[in-house]
Amino acid sequence: QVQLQESGPGLVKPSETLSLTCTVSGDSVGSYYWSWIRQPPGKGLEWVGYVYNSGTTYYNPALKSRLTMSVDTSRNQFSLNLKSVTAADTAVYYCARYQMLDWFDPWGQGTLVTVSS
Amino acid sequence: EIVLTQSPATLSLSPGERATLSCRASQSVSRYLAWYQQKPGQAPRLLIYDASNRATGIPARFSGSGSGTDFTLTISSLEPEDFAVYYCQQRSNGPPGFGPGTRVDLK
């Protein structure tokens, strides 16, 4: 059974970089596309981007200029870096497997990141 | 960019009743439409993919239909654990995206 677990700081200062890691167990991170999705408190879901082992990435156009995603096969992890954050980036961040570039399953439990000084 | 609209925003029903949730796309997404259930404090859970295929472990009371721009999620008889928010999601030639959600709450 595939399981995903997000990790990273829960508090980031404005203008700094938000960095999160998703650790995958039960499957090889090199075999699939992987994605990040976020959800501001009390709001809906926003797709952030996806990454593949080959280095292929596709980012939400609204975040593209600030976003970097990568895969680390040695640790079976993938990561997200979002620079120059503002309060608008405060959200629960979920990692998920992007099956067939079509649907997201499974999901991690999510991690709340607050942007505040 | 394709925009998804969900209706109604809130659906108030009783256990045992039938729930019908709608998702409309601003242009055709063929059958590339998925449905998720989210309960408070939990991650979304995949229910339906490719418009009508139930994900592993999803009860038969959940069914999906539609193609092109109009899609429906039906819960044939609501169980107490089904009261939650439901999101549709599309993938097209552009970025994938989610609808704003429909909340199914207890009448």
Side-chain angles (χ1 to χ4, degrees):
Chain A
Q1 181 182 359
V2 182
Q3 293 186 312
L4 289 75
Q5 178 67 59
E6 304 89 349
S7 59
L11 181 64
V12 181
K13 290 182 168 56
S15 79
E16 295 189 345
T17 297
L18 182 162
S19 296
L20 295 174
T21 297
C22 182
T23 300
V24 179
S25 58
D27 207 345
S28 169
V29 74
S31 302
Y32 291 94
Y33 288 85
W34 303 93
S35 197
W36 290 94
I37 297 142
R38 70 181 184 178
Q39 185 172 37
K43 297 189 178 180
L45 300 166
E46 179 184 30
W47 175 74
V48 174
Y50 71 68
V51 63
Y52 187 64
N53 183 33
S54 65
T56 299
T57 56
Y58 186 34
Y59 300 146
N60 184 320
L63 302 172
K64 184 177 181 179
S65 63
R66 300 191 289 130
L67 188 58
T68 304
M69 296 175 61
S70 61
V71 171
D72 184 344
T73 55
S74 66
R75 298 184 177 186
N76 221 38
Q77 297 174 335
F78 62 101
S79 63
L80 170 154
N81 285 281
L82 182 66
K83 65 181 183 182
S84 305
V85 296
T86 70
D89 295 309
T90 293
V92 175
Y93 285 75
Y94 296 100
C95 57
R97 185 171 62 183
Y98 193 18
Q99 286 274 56
M100 309 292 288
L101 289 179
D102 192 352
W103 63 89
F104 301 101
D105 181 62
W107 297 56
Q109 66 183 26
T111 187
L112 174 62
V113 179
T114 301
V115 178
S116 174
S117 55
Chain B
E1 180 179 333
I2 294 176
V3 176
L4 296 177
T5 304
Q6 292 187 242
S7 61
T10 303
L11 197 51
S12 297
L13 295 169
S14 301
E17 289 194 293
R18 183 184 188 89
T20 303
L21 288 68
S22 174
C23 178
R24 178 164 290 179
S26 58
Q27 57 185 277
S28 176
V29 297
S30 184
R31 291 181 59 81
Y32 298 121
L33 195 287
W35 291 92
Y36 301 84
Q37 176 194 66
Q38 187 178 34
K39 297 179 182 179
Q42 296 185 17
R45 175 176 72 146
L46 177 71
L47 299 175
I48 301 287
Y49 65 93
D50 288 349
S52 62
N53 296 294
R54 267 191 307 277
T56 302
I58 301 304
R61 64 180 181 273
F62 292 92
S63 64
S65 64
S67 65
T69 61
D70 290 301
F71 300 85
T72 300
L73 174 70
T74 301
I75 310 171
S76 60
S77 178
L78 281 164
E79 296 288 339
E81 63 267 28
D82 299 337
F83 292 92
V85 179
Y86 294 83
Y87 294 96
C88 57
Q89 172 252 320
Q90 60 80 21
R91 72 94 164 169
S92 64
N93 291 332
F98 294 89
T102 290
R103 179 180 305 275
V104 178
D105 65 16
L106 196 56
K107 188 174 182 180

